[in-house]
Amino acid sequence: MIGMLSRAASTRCLFPLKRIQWRHVEQARGCAGPPTTLHLLQDCLELQYRGSRMRLDYVWLRDHCRSGSSYNFKTNQRNLDTASIDLSIQPDHIQVEDDHLILTWPGGHVSRYSLSWLAENSYEGTKLSSVQPRVLWNADVYNDSRVPSSKWAAFMSSDDELERFLQNYLLYGIAFVDGVPATVEATEAVTQRVSLIRETTYGRMWCFTSDFSRGDTAYSQLALDRHTDTSYFHEPCGIQVFHCLKHEGTGGRTLLVDSFHAAESVRRQSPEHFEVLSRVPIRHEYVESRGVHQNHMIGIGPVLNIYPWNDELYLIRYNNYDRSVLNTIPHDVVRRWYVAHRELTVELRRPENELWVKLTPGKVIFIDNWRVMHGREAFTGLRRLCGCYLSRDDVLSKARIFGLQA
């Protein structure tokens, strides 16, 4: 049976175990710091720590051992063969000492875990935390925040400036660099300061005007409603970069909308509509047959994408131009989807949610294409833009290197 709690001269709590199949509860009293409660169950350890309650499966605990034989700290990779763990494994001995949980496994292997690490990495801890903190905004919120643009010279030379830029980008989904020379080469340089460039069917760095050289409405002078780009990709591009190199004419302002702000309004007002948009997969499609440009791409996924463990929104696919035939929805769901889509569209089109920006030579904008929609008003005259897509993984990686949460 499970032995009764013993006290050592130091601030330790000991829980010797025998390998039997029954339940018992012990409470750690006299441990250093806040009281830690352990419930020793048949297949898991229930841990109460600093007001947080978590259940840690014994197999999970053995798999996440951070001893030198189980984990390579030089490469930050697991050494342990997970498939070799006995799925009925239980520890022979449990000890709480100096804010650490120490388990001794059959065969004598010892695993040591920081209690704070367990609280942070448990399912219960992850469920209560956000993956990426954000400031949801409408036009007034963004303008009142007075988010500063980065300056070209400082941005290219100072890591502190780059960190501030990345923090603004993570929080608001958009960030600007001013004073960039109005050339494709300088635009490429400023983007590479942030991330690797993602090459797509549009090329690596692209430069275009309203000449219909591609089979896309963007290559015209027409107004474009709010949308996300490359919704027809299996993984939509993470970051969209624009730099207006030249405009001799009128109009052409850029429209920006925080779609997460609109989606959260739908979640509050009509959770059943939010659920439909987050669960029903639909197709987006890009078909192009213009000279050497022959493409047929299909991306499938719900309009709203959420993490299943905490319901946090992380990606939106919304592009009415590229949405394909709705043939992935059964008849009894089709009308519900249209009603939900209409409510989201109404929120997205509220004038107070529209941030209008005039892009001029020297101003480069970085847009989180998984969150912030862009569009434009119609324009006249010659308008020449360049830009590219960036790899989302590399942008987030760079942010994490600075210690930012992403």
Side-chain angles (χ1 to χ4, degrees):
M1 62 179 293
I2 300 176
M4 295 301 292
L5 173 65
S6 64
R7 294 186 183 225
S10 62
T11 55
R12 297 192 302 172
C13 303
L14 306 177
F15 297 84
L17 302 179
K18 291 184 179 179
R19 294 176 56 73
I20 56 176
Q21 300 297 318
W22 79 303
R23 295 184 180 186
H24 194 78
V25 177
E26 293 289 353
Q27 185 169 11
R29 301 183 190 278
C31 295
T36 299
T37 302
L38 298 177
H39 290 227
L40 311 177
L41 307 179
Q42 177 175 323
D43 60 351
C44 70
L45 172 68
E46 187 176 281
L47 178 62
Q48 194 95 12
Y49 175 70
R50 293 185 178 176
S52 299
R53 174 181 173 272
M54 63 202 90
R55 285 194 170 189
L56 306 169
D57 188 282
Y58 294 133
V59 177
W60 185 95
L61 284 164
R62 180 65 187 91
D63 183 45
H64 289 81
C65 175
R66 289 301 188 257
S67 67
S69 62
S70 298
Y71 192 80
N72 188 332
F73 284 93
K74 291 183 178 180
T75 65
N76 295 301
Q77 292 176 306
R78 181 182 281 104
N79 285 334
L80 177 65
D81 177 14
T82 302
S84 70
I85 301 173
D86 181 358
L87 295 179
S88 61
I89 195 170
Q90 290 180 331
D92 284 338
H93 189 267
I94 296 179
Q95 177 176 329
V96 176
E97 181 178 12
D98 298 332
D99 236 17
H100 282 75
L101 175 69
I102 304 170
L103 304 182
T104 303
W105 302 99
H109 183 83
V110 177
S111 299
R112 182 182 178 91
Y113 316 85
S114 162
L115 293 179
S116 60
W117 184 92
L118 289 173
E120 179 183 352
N121 288 282
S122 67
Y123 170 78
E124 293 82 2
T126 304
K127 184 179 177 66
L128 294 175
S129 62
S130 61
V131 175
Q132 182 180 317
R134 297 179 172 92
V135 176
L136 305 186
W137 51 266
N138 58 20
D140 285 343
V141 169
Y142 185 83
N143 287 327
D144 290 345
S145 299
R146 300 185 182 277
V147 183
S149 298
S150 293
K151 304 303 180 185
W152 159 259
F155 183 79
M156 297 301 291
S157 61
S158 168
D159 283 348
D160 288 341
E161 185 66 24
L162 177 58
E163 180 180 352
R164 282 190 287 270
F165 169 91
L166 289 169
Q167 181 66 87
N168 291 333
Y169 170 82
L170 293 173
L171 289 177
Y172 296 96
I174 54 174
F176 297 87
V177 180
D178 288 341
V180 181
T183 66
V184 176
E185 293 75 18
T187 308
E188 181 177 10
V190 80
T191 59
Q192 288 179 309
R193 177 79 167 126
V194 177
S195 168
L196 296 177
I197 295 174
R198 178 175 174 179
E199 187 164 3
T200 68
T201 183
Y202 297 103
R204 189 170 178 275
M205 290 293 300
W206 35 258
C207 188
F208 73 96
T209 185
S210 52
D211 58 2
F212 276 109
S213 60
R214 301 297 299 267
D216 193 292
T217 311
Y219 290 74
S220 72
Q221 293 182 326
L222 301 174
L224 294 175
D225 193 20
R226 63 226 70 202
H227 64 279
T228 57
D229 270 16
T230 61
S231 52
Y232 41 78
F233 282 6
H234 176 70
E235 179 184 311
C237 291
I239 290 86
Q240 167 83 74
V241 179
F242 285 123
H243 187 186
C244 182
L245 303 179
K246 186 178 184 179
H247 185 197
E248 298 173 346
T250 61
R253 289 182 304 163
T254 295
L255 168 63
L256 301 166
V257 177
D258 185 356
S259 67
F260 286 10
H261 177 271
E264 292 298 342
S265 295
V266 174
R267 189 188 329 230
R268 288 192 304 271
Q269 297 164 10
S270 307
E272 70 281 5
H273 294 164
F274 185 95
E275 183 177 13
V276 168
L277 294 174
S278 64
R279 292 185 180 274
V280 176
I282 63 171
R283 297 176 186 266
H284 285 83
E285 189 171 19
Y286 179 63
V287 181
E288 181 183 28
S289 180
R290 185 177 290 270
V292 298
H293 302 299
Q294 304 289 324
N295 294 289
H296 188 174
M297 299 180 181
I298 296 177
I300 302 174
V303 173
L304 305 177
N305 294 256
I306 60 175
Y307 295 123
W309 60 87
N310 66 354
D311 292 333
E312 180 181 345
L313 185 61
Y314 70 89
L315 164 65
I316 185 168
R317 292 176 188 258
Y318 185 102
N319 191 317
N320 207 50
Y321 300 101
D322 295 327
R323 184 164 47 79
S324 187
V325 178
L326 287 178
N327 55 13
T328 56
I329 308 177
H331 170 263
D332 59 341
V333 180
V334 168
R335 180 58 63 90
R336 290 168 52 202
W337 186 91
Y338 276 111
V339 172
H341 182 269
R342 180 67 52 84
E343 182 172 356
L344 176 61
T345 300
V346 168
E347 290 296 330
L348 291 169
R349 290 179 176 172
R350 291 189 185 281
E352 60 267 28
N353 290 334
E354 299 179 344
L355 179 67
W356 290 93
V357 177
K358 179 65 174 179
L359 296 183
T360 54
K363 180 182 287 292
V364 176
I365 182 172
F366 293 73
I367 304 171
D368 183 347
N369 187 55
W370 284 22
R371 170 186 172 184
V372 175
M373 296 182 182
H374 65 278
R376 71 166 183 235
E377 64 181 355
F379 64 91
T380 65
L382 175 64
R383 185 172 183 260
R384 185 168 173 257
L385 271 77
C386 75
C388 61
Y389 296 113
L390 301 184
S391 166
R392 179 179 178 82
D393 288 333
D394 289 288
V395 173
L396 298 184
S397 172
K398 183 156 291 188
R400 295 182 192 118
I401 290 172
F402 281 113
L404 304 174
Q405 185 176 344

